[in-house]
Amino acid sequence: MVSNSALFQPIKIGYHQLEHRVVLAPLTRFRSDENHVPTDLQAEYYSQRTTQGGLLIAEATFINARNAGAYPGAPGIYNQEQINGWKKVTSAVHKKGGIIFLQLWHVGRATISRLLPNKAQPVSASNVAIQGPFMLSADEDYEVPHSLSIDEIAEITQEYVQAAKNAIIAGFDGIEIHGANGFLLDQFLNSSSNFRTDRYGGSTENRGRFTLEVVKAISDAIGTERVGIRLSPWSGYQDMEDNTPYETWGYLIQQFQKCHSNMAYIHMIEPRNSFSIKIEDKNVNTLDPFRKVWKGPFISADGYTTQPELATEIADKTGNLIAIGRAFIANPDIVYRLKNSISLNKYNRDTFYTPGPVGYTDYSFAEQEVKT
């Protein structure tokens, strides 16, 4: 029976005992206000997707005002008004017995100066632009970023720390560092975007240094048990590519196990095996080598919307938690549906990033469908 799957068995992350292993993946939805303050609509959205003892990872959230991103409609966690907005979200989730982490976000070069205060130049590991049009405006190209100095890297590290502290004040149970998908930390990790010659570039150890410093600084500030991280060795998104993905991310996982073994979790995106970088024997790419090194909770993401049956299969095979994105958008009661083998609503891609409740809080619950 599906209900007997490991997917519906308890597991502990950090200080929290979860009652199942279905996780809401962090999903950008652009429903915050013009000042990047979370709204009542967002509180309703997260409340709808809350289950007793279930983990929600809230959407990517800017750590500062000056250069972290400033996409319209995306939230921040760098001022009191934003903290107050997030308190409504965390209160709604906790009222229903859920656990919620906040994903901390710096986009690095994945923005344009028009969106930043004083038209500041985007920043990155090196002065290499993403090729092609900006993802939010087909008429504008990405710009050549400013290569961060060592002092500027230290400053951003402290902004991560303050954002993490703010998240705890806002009522979050922990934070997830966004180290994936071609954003700032990932730009330092990948050899395609990091051409530095100082201690933050070149070797695997150097390219991983910024990420490890952020993990340590936040762990020291709020406790390692409240810290998770998301990584994507084979993303390909925003020109990401690394010459030695198993070595690069293997080094990170080894360091997490050695120095931060009580982290809440490691969250990794499954490879899409159309990518060309393979292990030496030409087998398909896999997260299994990383799973073997990390002994704590491991979250697997990607591919579970199109193949929801994989959620139970991978959970049973690995014991992993399973992060679900688009299917969770369209099915606020997806835990109930999966456990009872009830068909899923189809998502509407056209409303992923549009304002208002349509395609956000108006998806039906299985019990409503039975009544109608």
Side-chain angles (χ1 to χ4, degrees):
M1 292 178 61
V2 172
S3 60
N4 293 331
S5 168
L7 190 64
F8 305 106
Q9 298 303 311
I11 188 171
K12 189 175 184 181
I13 63 157
Y15 296 120
H16 301 283
Q17 185 72 26
L18 304 183
E19 295 190 11
H20 60 80
R21 305 184 188 202
V22 181
V23 179
L24 173 66
L27 298 161
T28 294
R29 303 300 310 276
F30 293 146
R31 260 65 173 196
S32 296
D33 72 13
E34 64 276 9
N35 295 312
H36 307 286
V37 175
T39 61
D40 291 345
L41 188 64
Q42 284 169 274
E44 180 183 358
Y45 170 82
Y46 285 107
S47 176
Q48 285 181 340
R49 286 153 184 80
T50 300
T51 55
Q52 178 71 37
L55 174 63
L56 310 179
I57 306 174
E59 63 211 86
T61 298
F62 299 130
I63 64 169
N64 70 32
R66 61 191 183 88
N67 62 15
Y71 301 162
I77 188 66
Y78 50 80
N79 65 36
Q80 190 61 51
E81 189 177 8
Q82 293 162 353
I83 291 171
N84 293 342
W86 279 121
K87 283 182 178 180
K88 297 178 182 179
V89 173
T90 59
S91 294
V93 170
H94 290 151
K95 186 176 181 179
K96 295 174 72 172
I99 306 302
I100 185 166
F101 276 45
L102 181 66
Q103 190 183 67
L104 302 185
W105 197 22
H106 193 303
V107 305
R109 67 180 184 173
T111 187
I112 55 175
S113 57
R114 176 176 60 80
L115 295 178
L116 299 176
N118 302 314
K119 295 186 177 179
Q121 185 180 8
V123 301
S124 187
S126 301
N127 56 351
V128 178
I130 298 171
Q131 298 301 301
F134 176 45
M135 63 179 175
L136 300 182
S137 175
D139 297 330
E140 299 174 276
D141 287 338
Y142 286 101
E143 303 162 16
V144 175
H146 163 67
S147 178
L148 288 165
S149 70
I150 289 177
D151 287 344
E152 289 168 332
I153 291 170
E155 183 178 9
I156 289 175
T157 299
Q158 290 309 306
E159 288 171 333
Y160 272 107
V161 170
Q162 187 58 56
K165 291 178 178 178
N166 291 348
I168 300 304
I169 293 170
F172 284 97
D173 300 296
I175 63 90
E176 177 178 283
I177 298 163
H178 198 340
N181 301 117
F183 297 112
L184 183 61
L185 295 178
D186 206 24
Q187 293 160 25
F188 274 76
L189 289 171
N190 279 268
S191 57
S192 64
S193 50
N194 185 342
F195 296 92
R196 302 176 71 97
T197 57
D198 61 9
R199 66 176 185 262
Y200 289 96
S203 68
T204 296
E205 293 80 5
N206 284 354
R207 285 183 285 115
R209 190 182 305 277
F210 189 11
T211 296
L212 291 172
E213 288 178 348
V214 169
V215 169
K216 183 180 187 305
I218 293 178
S219 297
D220 289 347
I222 67 171
T224 311
E225 294 85 355
R226 293 189 174 98
V227 178
I229 189 167
R230 194 178 210 216
L231 301 167
S232 57
W234 296 278
S235 166
Y237 184 55
Q238 300 184 137
D239 295 350
M240 288 295 96
E241 185 175 351
D242 189 69
N243 292 332
T244 57
Y246 284 96
E247 290 78 4
T248 298
W249 281 269
Y251 170 72
L252 281 183
I253 305 304
Q254 289 169 3
Q255 291 303 302
F256 294 149
Q257 183 61 43
K258 177 181 177 181
C259 304
H260 306 286
S261 60
N262 55 342
M263 279 175 66
Y265 60 80
I266 289 175
H267 181 183
M268 298 190 79
I269 298 173
E270 295 281 354
R272 298 184 179 187
N273 285 302
S274 59
F275 293 149
S276 60
I277 300 176
K278 306 290 185 181
I279 53 179
E280 289 182 1
D281 63 1
K282 307 301 181 184
N283 289 332
V284 295
N285 291 317
T286 173
L287 297 180
D288 287 347
F290 310 125
R291 289 184 172 103
K292 291 177 181 177
V293 174
W294 175 248
K295 307 305 180 185
F298 192 104
I299 303 177
S300 166
D302 200 33
Y304 299 106
T305 288
T306 55
Q307 295 178 282
E309 66 279 4
L310 285 179
T312 53
E313 180 181 326
I314 297 301
D316 289 341
K317 177 183 176 183
T318 65
N320 290 173
L321 296 92
I322 305 297
I324 300 177
R326 291 164 294 166
F328 218 142
I329 287 175
N331 298 274
D333 58 346
I334 196 168
V335 177
Y336 176 79
R337 288 176 184 265
L338 291 175
K339 192 171 186 178
N340 293 281
S341 301
I342 298 173
S343 63
L344 302 182
N345 297 324
K346 294 182 179 179
Y347 61 83
N348 180 1
R349 185 182 296 276
D350 292 341
T351 59
F352 280 178
Y353 308 117
T354 54
V358 177
Y360 191 60
T361 55
D362 62 348
Y363 283 105
S364 64
F365 290 72
E367 292 181 355
Q368 294 173 335
E369 294 168 9
V370 171
K371 291 177 182 178
T372 57

